[in-house]
Amino acid sequence: MSRRFLHSLRPIQQRQLSSFRFRPNKPNRFSTSSSHSLSGLTTRAKLFPAKPTTTNIHHFNVRPPLRTCHTTPSKMASSQRTYDDALSRLAQLQSNRTIVNLFGSSDDTNNDSQNKKPAAKKDLNSLAIPEMLSWLARAGYTPSSLAATGLKCVHVAGTKGKGSVSALVSSIISQYPPPPSFHDGGGGGAHIIQKPVVVGTYTSPHVLSVRERIQLDNVPISREKFALYFFEVWDRLSAAARAARDPVQSEAEYDGPGTKPFYFRFLTILAFHIFVREGVKQAVIECGIGGEYDSTNFLSPQCVTASVVTQLGIDHVTMLGNTLEKIAWNKSGIFRPGVKGFTRRLDGEAQKGVMEVLRNRAQEKEVKRLVEVEDEQVEKWKGVEGAKLEGPFQKFNMALAVAAAREHLIRVGYKFQGAFGEEGWELDDIPAEFEKGLKEASLKGRCESLRDSKGTEWFVDGAHTEDSLAGVGQWFAGKVKEGDVNVLVFNQQDRDPEVLLRALLTAAQKQSGTTTPVFTYAVLTRNEEKAPAEGEPERDLAVQLQGQKIVQEASAGTETSVYNAVESAMEQVQKIAEQARKNGKTCNVLVTGSFHLLGGVLKTVEYVEY
């Protein structure tokens, strides 16, 4: 490993972190190197004495067993097996943000080819799937063993709309009873199964509760089941590390976070474990970041009924590439041989290269067929009235979901009657079950609207890319009325706030059709829920102050304010709403820019079990 890359790890080393790197095809050996990827590379383990220094941190390359391991785990007291204890242990795992930050700020500019694999960082990504397979084996699974359970999945990647498409597909599938062959159970979890689960869903990120990520029949898994299955996976990983004699400082560390993968990878394994234990035969799996190297991309073709790539945009450039073509290459990595791929056809010269990449990748991956949903077909469709997932852009997500769900249901044995069963079907041919599924689909923090007990209207969406925020601005401006008091609550700590805010404000203003600013007030805040405690350092508000300046330039009539915590920001919003009520006006609050921000805000305006 180069000195330059080791230097890039120094800030993490100084926090006394070490790593396991799993190389299944190489013998165990000690090394002083480390690699990481959110797609699924390396975990960190605390392998240091009580008083560590930066000179006694060791990096171990450990080969995990490629056999399944069900060694009896060490027993924990029942008081340590609660849902809260599971959350506490989950919080000890290395965060996704830490992994993403290891990719630095490179824009991956060394590769000029539109159809080739991005060059920069590819060595970090290349270990992602082999390591994920090794962790999966430690938990007792392989791609073939998952396929043997009969699990059939719709796999979804993309930059914009992948969460919505996943929710829509799941909702459609849930309208149909599982085929007779699916009632055999076999997951070993019958002791807590109330009824057969029609569909499982795995999405990210969550807004209020990690249980939102793993759903059974479109409902977050219960606390009881989450805790039970969490510790089953935790114990399997501990037992596998102990059986392999992974190097640790003490025997107790086998049961700790050092022998576990990072956050997203652990939850991915947990999701599939839950699906197996609950006897789930149909699932919708959303990628985390990318596709080719994503932690979910270990599924065999036998497990996948449809591969979906939603609309693409520029995001996570240090991991995926800095052009749409490079990102398209990465996202289309989920295509599978003999399985249909689905995407939105993008017309125009600017999108020509993207479609070329997707078509070439489909050919390279030997997909059965790449189905390209045309905008013209979607625009003439009457759509679905009263859908919970709001926003004009959702119509395109719905069309993609219909195509993928139809293919999935056909693959698992359903036969549709009439025009919808024919090859040349159109969106107006969808049966009542599809329409009901599209109408009922929902997803926390995506075009979500609610009214609090005092009558304030809240609109929340975790959009954090330029195109997505433009869509949110259009959606919000279409919901409010002239004379309302409109408040924007915004933060985006990791991306350029100028690009994002200008996209939001411009789209909202255009949708309004007036020159009067859409937003009466703009509140720029950090994501922390509470203000700094006494004695804590002041928080950096440079991003918020920059955002304030941008709003003042782009929307001169909007009153702005900056806060260092959600709590104080919400106090200001409540004051604005109270004054609006006194004046007989409706107060509408748009919260956007960050899922982290949404979580803090929603805790103050509605009760949700979390």
Side-chain angles (χ1 to χ4, degrees):
M1 185 66 67
S2 71
R3 290 180 180 272
R4 178 178 299 177
F5 182 67
L6 289 175
H7 177 75
S8 72
L9 292 180
R10 188 172 299 166
I12 291 184
Q13 291 172 338
Q14 290 172 347
R15 291 196 295 273
Q16 291 82 44
L17 293 171
S18 298
S19 71
F20 285 118
R21 179 190 298 167
F22 298 111
R23 294 188 174 181
N25 298 321
K26 296 185 179 182
N28 297 350
R29 67 185 190 278
F30 292 108
S31 173
T32 57
S33 62
S34 180
S35 299
H36 304 264
S37 166
L38 181 60
S39 304
L41 278 178
T42 310
T43 74
R44 313 292 293 186
K46 296 182 178 179
L47 305 175
F48 46 83
K51 296 182 179 180
T53 66
T54 56
T55 58
N56 59 28
I57 306 301
H58 298 287
H59 298 264
F60 298 96
N61 289 334
V62 182
R63 179 186 180 219
L66 293 182
R67 58 185 174 80
T68 60
C69 182
H70 298 282
T71 307
T72 303
S74 60
K75 301 298 182 183
M76 296 173 59
S78 59
S79 62
Q80 294 177 298
R81 294 285 173 163
T82 66
Y83 174 69
D84 287 340
D85 291 318
L87 292 186
S88 177
R89 294 207 167 211
L90 186 62
Q92 295 173 25
L93 301 181
Q94 190 176 23
S95 70
N96 300 338
R97 176 172 293 183
T98 301
I99 302 297
V100 172
N101 288 344
L102 287 173
F103 280 75
S105 57
S106 169
D107 286 339
D108 188 19
T109 57
N110 296 326
N111 182 8
D112 295 328
S113 173
Q114 293 181 343
N115 290 309
K116 292 184 178 180
K117 179 179 177 179
K121 313 297 181 186
K122 68 179 181 180
D123 290 337
L124 299 183
N125 276 326
S126 64
L127 295 178
I129 300 305
E131 290 197 353
M132 185 60 191
L133 291 172
S134 297
W135 282 116
L136 197 66
R138 285 196 161 197
Y141 299 108
T142 64
S144 59
S145 73
L146 288 172
T149 69
L151 180 65
K152 302 296 182 184
C153 303
V154 177
H155 202 183
V156 185
T159 308
K160 296 168 289 186
K162 63 188 175 82
S164 295
V165 169
S166 297
L168 290 161
V169 172
S170 291
S171 185
I172 293 171
I173 293 173
S174 70
Q175 305 304 317
Y176 291 84
S181 61
F182 281 25
H183 287 286
D184 57 0
H191 60 292
I192 58 173
I193 293 179
Q194 302 298 319
K195 63 178 181 179
V197 177
V198 176
V199 61
T201 313
Y202 179 53
T203 62
S204 62
H206 64 269
V207 176
L208 288 169
S209 167
V210 68
R211 296 182 293 107
E212 297 167 21
R213 297 179 181 233
I214 305 172
Q215 301 198 13
L216 302 176
D217 288 339
N218 306 310
V219 177
I221 187 170
S222 68
R223 291 183 175 214
E224 174 198 17
K225 290 183 178 181
F226 184 92
L228 173 67
Y229 295 136
F230 176 93
F231 283 110
E232 286 183 354
V233 173
W234 191 276
D235 289 346
R236 287 189 183 190
L237 295 173
S238 297
R242 186 174 281 107
R245 303 310 300 170
D246 287 355
V248 293
Q249 294 293 328
S250 68
E251 186 73 16
E253 289 189 16
Y254 283 123
D255 296 314
T259 57
K260 311 301 183 294
F262 75 86
Y263 190 92
F264 183 76
R265 180 186 274 175
F266 184 94
L267 288 177
T268 301
I269 295 171
L270 176 61
F272 281 94
H273 177 68
I274 288 172
F275 295 158
V276 170
R277 295 281 277 117
E278 287 287 306
V280 173
K281 302 299 184 183
Q282 302 177 99
V284 180
I285 308 298
E286 178 192 354
C287 290
I289 292 179
E292 179 76 18
Y293 306 113
D294 188 72
S295 294
T296 65
N297 201 30
F298 58 81
L299 292 169
S300 68
Q302 291 75 24
C303 261
V304 180
T305 55
S307 304
V308 184
V309 176
T310 67
Q311 192 169 348
L312 301 174
I314 300 294
D315 199 17
H316 299 292
V317 296
T318 58
M319 299 178 68
L320 308 180
N322 66 339
T323 68
L324 286 176
E325 289 80 9
K326 294 171 184 175
I327 291 171
W329 183 94
N330 211 305
K331 303 285 187 181
S332 56
I334 67 168
F335 287 161
R336 289 290 184 271
V339 178
K340 284 185 180 180
F342 296 84
T343 194
R344 177 181 176 182
R345 177 179 294 175
L346 301 173
D347 296 318
E349 194 64 29
Q351 307 293 347
K352 184 177 180 181
V354 173
M355 295 309 302
E356 182 180 347
V357 171
L358 292 176
R359 290 163 185 159
N360 288 346
R361 288 282 274 168
Q363 185 175 7
E364 170 194 331
K365 295 281 187 177
E366 299 181 342
V367 304
K368 184 176 181 180
R369 175 188 166 196
L370 179 61
V371 178
E372 301 174 7
V373 178
E374 300 178 18
D375 283 2
E376 182 180 356
Q377 180 185 5
V378 178
E379 288 164 357
K380 71 178 184 179
W381 176 39
K382 66 180 184 296
V384 176
E385 293 185 3
K388 291 182 179 179
L389 284 176
E390 301 178 337
F393 48 86
Q394 291 292 1
K395 191 175 179 182
F396 296 93
N397 291 332
M398 288 180 178
L400 201 52
V402 167
R406 177 184 180 274
E407 174 66 11
H408 168 83
L409 289 167
I410 290 174
R411 288 283 301 271
V412 300
Y414 284 98
K415 294 184 178 180
F416 296 103
Q417 303 299 315
F420 195 62
E422 303 297 328
E423 189 66 28
W425 66 275
E426 296 185 356
L427 287 166
D428 285 328
D429 299 327
I430 64 173
E433 291 86 352
F434 271 63
E435 188 165 344
K436 186 171 184 285
L438 294 174
K439 186 177 294 187
E440 293 181 351
S442 64
L443 192 61
K444 178 66 68 178
R446 278 79 160 185
C447 286
E448 185 178 9
S449 57
L450 57 100
R451 177 181 297 171
D452 69 18
S453 59
K454 296 181 180 180
T456 302
E457 302 285 347
W458 294 82
F459 301 84
V460 296
D461 191 284
H464 50 269
T465 65
E466 182 179 359
D467 289 343
S468 294
L469 279 162
V472 168
Q474 183 183 8
W475 166 61
F476 178 77
K479 302 289 288 186
V480 302
K481 304 183 300 296
E482 186 177 352
D484 288 353
V485 174
N486 301 324
V487 184
L488 170 64
V489 181
F490 180 88
N491 188 44
Q492 177 42 248
Q493 207 69 30
D494 301 320
R495 296 171 174 84
D496 184 355
E498 179 167 8
V499 172
L500 303 182
L501 275 170
R502 290 192 185 278
L504 170 67
L505 296 171
T506 300
Q509 204 62 53
K510 182 178 180 181
Q511 177 68 24
S512 72
T514 70
T515 57
T516 303
V518 172
F519 296 101
T520 320
Y521 300 90
V523 176
L524 294 305
T525 178
R526 287 183 61 94
N527 292 333
E528 290 87 351
E529 293 181 25
K530 302 287 185 181
E534 186 176 350
E536 290 185 358
E538 290 295 319
R539 290 172 183 157
D540 183 4
L541 296 177
V543 171
Q544 288 69 39
L545 291 170
Q546 182 186 0
Q548 182 181 43
K549 181 179 178 181
I550 294 163
V551 174
Q552 290 170 346
E553 292 175 354
S555 184
T558 301
E559 185 176 326
T560 62
S561 54
V562 168
Y563 296 90
N564 65 3
V566 170
E567 185 177 61
S568 52
M570 288 302 96
E571 289 175 359
Q572 173 65 8
V573 171
Q574 295 296 353
K575 289 178 182 178
I576 294 171
E578 183 178 357
Q579 187 60 49
R581 286 192 296 272
K582 288 180 179 179
N583 295 336
K585 295 185 176 183
T586 299
C587 182
N588 307 300
V589 184
L590 172 63
V591 186
T592 191
S594 164
F595 281 106
H596 296 289
L597 175 63
L598 264 58
V601 170
L602 286 177
K603 290 176 185 179
T604 72
V605 298
E606 68 167 343
Y607 174 77
V608 176
E609 184 182 7
Y610 62 90

